[in-house]
Amino acid sequence: MVSEIRLFTETTFIQKAQSYQTVLSLRGVVVNIEIVEKLNARFLRLNPEMALCVDDAGLSLSANGMKMQPDWKAEIPRLKRASLKSEMIARACNISEKPSLIDATAGLGHDTLLMAHLGANVTLIERHPILFTLLEDSKKQAESDPFLSKVVSRIHLVFSDSNTYLQQHIDEHKTVDVVYLDPMFPQRDQNQQAIKKQAQVKKQMQLLHMLLPEDGEMDLGDHLLVLAQQIAKRVVVKRPRLAIFLNDQSTDHQWLGDACRFDAYFNSAFVDKIVE
């Protein structure tokens, strides 16, 4: 995990950069601020190593000439098109019942945003201090948006390792309606040769994978599934359509799309029937 990183900013945004520096230092990351004359595309191309940037758009991650942030405002058109009937994720997570939901694999938070928009109350877990701070910044910006403010009021960010967080729920005998898992690295699946390779990962995901290098089985999500099944009425796992099951555990029900599927695991102690 990154323990030290450079942060580029212009003089205009130095105070904002210093506030991010303080927050990240409290989360275990040493941030070295460098003031540049012009933080633009040319500068990013000439400085390809991974770094943070602060400008009028807030905090972002940069590398290889690209810049990325979890831009929740850019998701508004998708949210406006979405409905409980049109979104497989809504049917898989039974969002019509306005569940309490833990998203244990935060990513850029786009699935959480969609589920919160459709009515879920979501706890979003992220252990990486830089990604958590990026998500936190996106949420703060969304709170000032007329459309998103009500949506993000249903999102609670938690800075924690998901394994630790779920284990605490087990120890304290707490339950939730749904735990949602979208593992970062499905390419490690045993039948990876059967999974069609995309021509190129989207820019945001390229930088996310650089920030969160694969560090073992936890990224695949096997252990998270085991923990989640002990506290949730249902666990929903997003997978590439041809990927193996998490923990080699057959699903109780599936929703199939063209490129991905949602595997559901029901806890018989809580659930009487499948909700389509």
Side-chain angles (χ1 to χ4, degrees):
M1 190 174 293
V2 177
S3 60
E4 185 171 358
I5 194 167
R6 291 200 291 176
L7 186 155
F8 298 122
T9 192
E10 299 172 11
T11 304
T12 306
F13 306 107
I14 184 62
Q15 287 188 330
K16 186 185 292 187
Q18 289 172 338
S19 68
Y20 289 119
Q21 181 186 46
T22 300
V23 167
L24 282 164
S25 68
L26 294 173
R27 293 171 180 164
V29 180
V30 176
V31 176
N32 300 308
I33 296 176
E34 297 186 20
I35 300 175
V36 302
E37 183 177 346
K38 192 69 175 176
L39 185 56
N40 54 20
R42 182 176 183 274
F43 175 85
L44 295 177
R45 288 195 301 271
L46 294 174
N47 294 271
E49 68 279 5
M50 188 166 65
L52 293 172
C53 298
V54 172
D55 54 19
D56 55 355
L59 183 70
S60 57
L61 182 72
S62 68
N64 296 335
M66 301 180 290
K67 190 172 70 166
M68 175 277 284
Q69 60 186 169
D71 188 357
W72 287 4
K73 290 184 180 181
E75 294 294 299
I76 291 177
R78 180 195 178 198
L79 298 182
K80 289 183 175 180
R81 294 192 303 269
S83 70
L84 291 170
K85 291 184 178 180
S86 67
E87 297 289 342
M88 271 200 307
I89 192 173
R91 301 196 296 276
C93 294
N94 200 21
I95 301 298
S96 62
E97 296 297 319
K98 301 188 184 303
S100 60
L101 187 151
I102 295 174
D103 184 344
T105 49
L108 297 174
H110 294 164
D111 284 345
T112 277
L113 197 64
L114 176 61
M115 292 186 287
H117 169 64
L118 294 174
N121 293 296
V122 186
T123 299
L124 183 60
I125 313 299
E126 178 52 51
R127 67 179 179 178
H128 196 291
I130 291 176
L131 180 55
F132 181 84
T133 306
L134 288 166
L135 290 166
E136 187 177 53
D137 191 53
S138 292
K139 185 173 186 286
K140 287 179 180 177
Q141 292 189 43
E143 287 170 350
S144 63
D145 182 90
F147 179 83
L148 289 177
S149 58
K150 291 183 180 179
V151 177
V152 298
S153 70
R154 292 190 286 272
I155 298 174
H156 176 50
L157 291 176
V158 175
F159 180 42
S160 174
D161 178 88
S162 291
N163 292 279
T164 301
Y165 188 82
L166 296 180
Q167 185 61 56
Q168 287 175 344
H169 268 61
I170 294 170
D171 295 341
E172 297 171 8
H173 305 288
K174 294 180 179 179
T175 61
V176 295
D177 295 319
V178 183
V179 173
Y180 177 72
L181 304 175
D182 181 8
M184 274 280 293
F185 298 98
Q187 68 268 29
R188 289 183 62 233
D189 290 340
Q190 294 171 6
N191 67 342
Q192 59 181 313
Q193 67 274 12
I195 300 174
K196 294 180 180 179
K197 294 182 179 179
Q198 295 181 348
Q200 184 177 13
V201 180
K202 290 182 179 180
K203 177 177 69 174
Q204 288 185 324
M205 294 307 296
Q206 288 182 40
L207 293 182
L208 191 59
H209 279 236
M210 290 179 66
L211 180 66
L212 307 173
E214 190 174 4
D215 63 359
E217 185 178 336
M218 295 306 179
D219 290 319
L220 189 60
D222 290 346
H223 189 55
L224 285 176
L225 175 60
V226 173
L227 295 175
Q229 287 178 291
Q230 299 178 59
I231 67 166
K233 296 178 181 178
R234 69 171 65 190
V235 181
V236 176
V237 184
K238 184 178 181 180
R239 304 293 282 154
R241 186 181 173 96
L242 300 177
I244 62 172
F245 294 121
L246 281 195
N247 204 37
D248 292 324
Q249 185 176 339
S250 297
T251 183
D252 295 322
H253 196 70
Q254 283 187 328
W255 288 261
L256 295 174
D258 293 334
C260 71
R261 69 175 197 260
F262 293 92
D263 296 343
Y265 300 87
F266 299 97
N267 189 324
S268 59
F270 299 125
V271 180
D272 295 324
K273 61 180 181 179
I274 296 172
V275 181
E276 292 287 353

